[in-house]
Amino acid sequence: MQVRVKLGSRDEQAAIVAPPPDTGYLGLSGETMTEQLAAEYSLPNVPGVLVTDAGSGTAAASAGLEADDIIVDIGSYLITSLGSLDLPLVQVGANSTTSLQFVTPQGVRRTVSVTLATPPQYGSALQDLAFV
């Protein structure tokens, strides 16, 4: 499927590939944590994925993740960027339970159990594309 996306003053076309149905799904949106984000939002400067939204009723929300938490580890996988979430979600898989470690905005490191969900069917809503 091809979608036209408006990025600033440019129109871009991108191919969107739905993940395999057995890929784990957290149901959150996020971005790679940077020094700039840490300074801008007064958050701990740790490598990981800054959660910008944990969808209601999702695996992420059920595990207690909230906006401004920073994911640093899933199972035995170190999370240092948004792209580094891909491998653990594929390897752990949907309907499997694993540990997830995150740092709260106050700097407290927590480890929780999370049961990954099955990814939604993409194409039904463009907003789903931002979630992992």
Side-chain angles (χ1 to χ4, degrees), residues 36-56:
Q36 182 179 1
L37 286 172
E40 186 175 337
Y41 296 107
S42 300
L43 296 170
N45 185 18
V46 296
V49 170
L50 175 64
V51 175
T52 57
D53 181 43
S56 177

Side-chain angles (χ1 to χ4, degrees), residues 3-79:
V3 201
R4 183 168 289 280
V5 180
K6 180 103 171 151
L7 298 174
S9 61
R10 303 178 312 183
D11 278 337
E12 297 287 331
Q13 285 202 8
I16 297 173
V17 179
D22 56 348
T23 297
Y25 178 76
L26 285 166
L28 61 83
S29 61
E31 58 186 298
T32 299
M33 188 63 183
T34 63
E35 285 183 38
Q36 182 179 1
L37 286 172
E40 186 175 337
Y41 296 107
S42 300
L43 296 170
N45 185 18
V46 296
V49 170
L50 175 64
V51 175
T52 57
D53 181 43
S56 177
T58 63
S62 295
L65 285 167
E66 298 177 348
D68 294 338
D69 288 335
I70 304 162
I71 300 171
V72 295
D73 186 271
I74 295 179
S76 60
Y77 297 92
L78 185 63
I79 304 302

